[in-house]
Amino acid sequence: MSQSIFPVHWIHLTLRGDERGDLVVVESERDVDFAIRRVYFLPRTALGVARGFHAHKHLRQVLIAASGSCRILLHNGKCAYDVILDSPTKGLEVNPMMWHEMHDFTEDCVLLVLASDLYDESDYIRDFNEFLSLANPR
Ligand code: T46
């Protein structure tokens, strides 16, 4: 599969606010097309550390660099694609069966994640070979 048709789904958020500063809104089932049931954020990832390295079976998520930046490596079972999160107005949809890794966190990165469901460890596929088998059934 060529990188140009890798299915990357962006959500474009509007920068609101005024002379006092910026304000970005994300509304459940409006800006994101699922009901947000959980919000979590990664505020202080140590330099050089990479996180993620899993896919979800059912969970839908939107990732936003609320400050700073990081690189997200996506793998759909066929090929990999890198995207940069570097703006609080850019939301990256990470849908089920999309392997994702987070790399190159800047010191000031706060990665905000909006999720369609509560935390459930049984929804994770943390083994890449298992992910490849499930994504490419014979
Ligand atoms: C994801 C990426 C973007 C909880 O207890 N509740 C939670 O809601 C979450 C997200 C995690 N945890 C626990 C599970 C682990 O013991 O926190 C610990 C660290 O989680 P994990 O190693 O999965 O963290 P990351 O940064 O590798 O991945 C996280 C999310 O877990 C994951 O769903 O898509 O961020």
Side-chain angles (χ1 to χ4, degrees), residues 28 35 41 56 58-59 82 93 97 132:
S28 180
F41 53 96
H56 287 284
H58 304 293
L59 189 71
D82 272 317
E93 268 188 46
M97 294 307 291
L132 287 179

Side-chain angles (χ1 to χ4, degrees), residues 38-42 45 50-56 59 61-63 72 94 98 100-102 105 111-113 115 117-121 123-124 126:
R38 178 168 51 115
V39 175
Y40 61 93
F41 53 96
L42 283 57
T45 301
R51 308 188 59 143
F53 296 88
H54 58 254
H56 287 284
L59 189 71
Q61 300 195 104
V62 171
L63 277 54
I72 311 293
V94 179
M98 185 69 78
H100 50 286
E101 303 172 8
M102 299 95 84
F105 286 84
L111 183 62
L112 175 66
V113 183
D117 215 338
L118 305 181
Y119 175 70
D120 176 7
E121 184 59 36
D123 189 63
Y124 285 70
R126 293 191 184 270

Side-chain angles (χ1 to χ4, degrees), residues 42 44-53 70-71 101-106:
L42 283 57
R44 280 193 312 271
T45 301
L47 284 178
V49 166
R51 308 188 59 143
F53 296 88
C70 62
R71 172 173 62 88
E101 303 172 8
M102 299 95 84
H103 298 267
D104 302 341
F105 286 84
T106 56

Side-chain angles (χ1 to χ4, degrees), residues 5 10 18 33 36 44 53 58 65 75 79 111 114 128:
I5 57 167
W10 290 105
D18 51 33
D33 65 1
I36 298 167
R44 280 193 312 271
F53 296 88
H58 304 293
H75 198 299
C79 62
L111 183 62
L114 314 172
F128 187 63

